Amino acid sequence: MPSISCTPFTDFGALAKKGSRIIERADNIYLWDSDGHKILDAMSGLWCVNVGYGQQALVEAATAQLQQLPFYNAFFQTATPPAIELAELLAEVTPPQFQHVFFAGSGSEGNDTVVRMVRRYWDLLGQPERKVIISRNNAYHGSTMAGASLGGMGGMHAQGGLPIPDITHIEQPYWYELGRPKGLSRDEFGLVAARWLEERILAVGPGRVAAFIGEPIQGAGGVIIPPATYWPEIQRICDKYGILLVSDEVICGFGRTGNWWGCETLGTQPDLMTFAKGVTSGYIPLGGVMVGERVARVLVEQGGEFNHGYTYSGHPVACAVALANIRLIQRERLVEHVRDDVGPYLAQQYAALMDHPLVGDAETCGLMGALVLARDKVAGTPFASEVEIGMVCRGHCFANGLIMRAVGDRMIIAPPLVISRAQIDDMMVLIRRCLDLTWADAQAKGWV
Ligand code: PXG
C-alpha cells in the first residue's frame, strides 16, 4: 500500500514490498490484528496506554467535550475550563515545586518548549551566554529538530544536520556495557557516570551551561535503569553549578516507575519536567512541560512575552481526556498497584529469568523491564552484531502473540499499569517460550 508507506521510523522501500501489520481493536492489555490474532501488548502501545484499552470514562469525556466545545485556543490570554482544571490537577499530582504548566501537543513539542524556555530563562537573568544543554548518548527526547538534537541517537543525528548548536552529549549510565566490564559495582559506576556531567560542565565552561536533561530511566534507548547512586549525584552537580535540571518524564511519568514521576523514584527535584503519552494514556495526543517555581518566577515576574506556542496547546478535548485519565489513575489507585503489587511481582519474575541460558541480565523498575540476550551469560559476551539476536527474539514474540520490543540485544517491556498478577504470569509464559525458541535458533545456527 504505497499511499501510506511514509510511516515513522520505517524503511519505506521494505514496507512497500512487505506491507503492514494491521491492528484493528483492543481491550484491556490485549490487541487484535486483522487476521484475528490476539496479542498481549507488553509495550502499552508505545509506552503510553497506562490505563489499558477500552476505558469508557475517557471515551465519554472526549465525547462530552466535543459536544460542549471541540476547540478553542489558549493564545492571547484565553483559556478553556478543561485546560484550567487539568493545570490544577497536574499541580496536585506533581512534586510541590510545580505550580505551572505549558501545554503542547506531544513529547517532542514539550522538549522544543524546554529548549526555548531554559534559554529564555537565562536571557532574562542577564546571562545569555548560558545556552548549552547537556544530554546523553542513546537518550530519546523526540523527533522534531530540537527533540532529536537533545536525543542522543546517532542514526537520527546523521539525517538532517543535527544536533542544532549548543547541545552536547555525555555517555549514558549503562552499567552492563560500560561499568561491568571494568569490574565496577553498579553503585560505583553510578558515581563515575554522573561525574561525566561535571567533566563536561568544566570542559564547556560552567558559565555557558544552561541545563542538563535526562530521562529518569531511558526508555527507547533500551530501558537503561541507572544505578541508585546516579541521579542524586547528578542533582548535586547541577546544584553546585546552578544549572537547571530537566526530567523528561514522557515515559516515566504517570505511575510507570511505581511513583507518579520517575524523578521521585530516582531521587531528583527537577526544575522542569516534560510529559506526554501517559497524560492521556495515548487516547488522544497531549504533551507539555511542568514549570518549576525557580523558572516560573523569572518568566512571570521578569518575562514579557514568551514568543512560543502551538495551535493545540491546551486543546480542550485532549485536556478533558487527560482529566478523566488522571482521575481514573487516582480512583483505581494504579500508582500504588504498580508500587506495592505488580511492580514487585514483575521484579520477582524477572529475577527468576536469570536462570535462562540466553539471559545475561534481567532488571525492572516499576513496570519497565529489560533482558540482555548474551552469547555467554557468565562472561557477558554479546552475540555477533550481524546475528541481530534481538530481532530474532522479537520475531518469535510477534508469532506467539506477544509485543515485546528489541533494542539491540535488549528485550524490553512496559505493560499497561492495569496488568494483574495472573496476566503477568501469562506474559512470563510467553516470554519464556520466545526465549526458548530464540535459544534453539542460536544453537541450531551455531551462534553460541
Ligand atoms: N521524550 C521521551 C522520553 C520519549 O520517550 C518523546 C520525548 C517524544 O514524544 P512524542 O510524543 O513527540 O513522540 C518520547 C517518545 C520507541 C519510541 O521506539 C519511543 C518514543 C516515541 C516513538 C518511539 O521506543 N518516545
Side-chain angles (χ1 to χ4, degrees), residues 137 170-184 189 192-193 196 224:
N137 293 342
I170 59 172
E171 198 42 274
Q172 59 179 331
Y174 185 10
W175 173 79
Y176 189 81
E177 204 171 272
L178 303 172
R180 186 190 50 91
K182 295 197 172 126
L184 295 174
F189 173 69
V192 168
W196 292 331
I224 311 287

Side-chain angles (χ1 to χ4, degrees), residues 228-264:
T229 49
Y230 179 74
W231 275 109
E233 182 67 2
I234 291 280
Q235 175 82 60
R236 187 190 68 76
I237 293 165
C238 289
D239 291 347
K240 178 173 171 190
Y241 295 96
I243 69 174
L244 295 170
L245 177 55
V246 186
S247 190
D248 184 337
E249 299 275 351
V250 167
I251 284 178
C252 293
F254 298 97
R256 173 62 58 198
T257 68
N259 285 295
W260 274 91
W261 304 96
C263 61
E264 294 168 329

Side-chain angles (χ1 to χ4, degrees), residues 40 42 345-359 362 371 373 377 392-393 396-397 400-402 404 411 413 423-441:
L40 193 159
Y345 189 63
L346 180 70
Q348 213 180 306
Q349 301 304 306
Y350 258 50
L353 277 181
M354 283 301 287
D355 69 5
H356 196 281
L358 194 55
V359 174
L371 302 171
L373 307 185
K377 63 182 284 166
V392 174
C393 185
H396 287 303
C397 294
N400 283 275
L402 172 68
M404 174 159 71
M411 299 306 301
I413 58 162
Q423 288 172 325
I424 289 179
D425 291 342
D426 294 346
M427 179 176 76
M428 296 312 297
V429 168
L430 293 175
I431 290 176
R432 260 191 199 274
R433 181 184 306 156
C434 296
L435 290 172
D436 289 346
L437 289 166
T438 309
W439 179 244
D441 285 347

Side-chain angles (χ1 to χ4, degrees), residues 96-116:
Q97 68 269 33
F98 295 111
Q99 296 296 318
H100 295 83
V101 60
F102 191 102
F103 287 122
S106 66
S108 299
E109 287 182 3
N111 280 327
D112 278 46
T113 303
V114 162
V115 171
R116 303 204 54 206

Side-chain angles (χ1 to χ4, degrees), residues 160-412:
L162 302 179
I164 58 173
D166 290 327
I167 292 177
T168 179
H169 301 80
I170 59 172
E171 198 42 274
Q172 59 179 331
Y174 185 10
W175 173 79
Y176 189 81
E177 204 171 272
L178 303 172
R180 186 190 50 91
K182 295 197 172 126
L184 295 174
S185 71
R186 284 182 202 258
D187 282 352
E188 284 164 351
F189 173 69
L191 294 177
V192 168
R195 287 173 192 156
W196 292 331
L197 172 61
E198 186 156 26
E199 283 167 26
R200 185 61 56 89
I201 292 171
L202 294 173
V204 170
R208 291 189 56 229
V209 180
F212 175 74
I213 184 169
E215 305 151 80
I217 294 170
Q218 290 153 258
V223 180
I224 311 287
I225 303 173
T229 49
Y230 179 74
W231 275 109
E233 182 67 2
I234 291 280
Q235 175 82 60
R236 187 190 68 76
I237 293 165
C238 289
D239 291 347
K240 178 173 171 190
Y241 295 96
I243 69 174
L244 295 170
L245 177 55
V246 186
S247 190
D248 184 337
E249 299 275 351
V250 167
I251 284 178
C252 293
F254 298 97
R256 173 62 58 198
T257 68
N259 285 295
W260 274 91
W261 304 96
C263 61
E264 294 168 329
T265 304
L266 280 294
T268 60
Q269 286 93 42
D271 299 297
L272 298 168
M273 292 200 310
T274 320
F275 64 87
K277 295 189 188 276
V279 65
T280 57
S281 286
Y283 279 48
I284 197 163
L286 181 67
V289 181
M290 293 305 299
V291 185
E293 210 39 48
R294 173 178 172 193
V295 176
R297 204 176 335 112
V298 173
L299 294 180
V300 173
E301 288 171 13
Q302 299 173 231
E305 185 161 320
F306 182 43
N307 300 318
H308 175 75
Y310 307 101
T311 299
Y312 301 125
S313 288
H315 192 290
V317 181
C319 291
V321 173
L323 280 166
N325 175 63
I326 296 170
R327 287 179 184 140
L328 180 75
I329 294 173
Q330 291 176 318
R331 198 167 58 244
E332 303 281 325
R333 299 180 60 76
L334 290 180
V335 181
E336 294 81 357
H337 174 66
V338 175
R339 189 189 63 207
D340 303 332
D341 189 1
V342 287
Y345 189 63
L346 180 70
Q348 213 180 306
Q349 301 304 306
Y350 258 50
L353 277 181
M354 283 301 287
D355 69 5
H356 196 281
L358 194 55
V359 174
D361 199 12
E363 50 181 347
T364 69
C365 178
L367 283 185
M368 298 172 89
L371 302 171
V372 179
L373 307 185
R375 187 160 76 87
D376 177 338
K377 63 182 284 166
V378 178
T381 321
F383 281 87
S385 57
E386 60 273 16
V387 167
E388 295 201 337
I389 194 75
M391 297 306 274
V392 174
C393 185
R394 194 185 73 158
H396 287 303
C397 294
F398 273 147
N400 283 275
L402 172 68
I403 293 197
M404 174 159 71
R405 287 270 312 279
V407 179
D409 294 353
R410 290 176 78 79
M411 299 306 301
I412 60 174

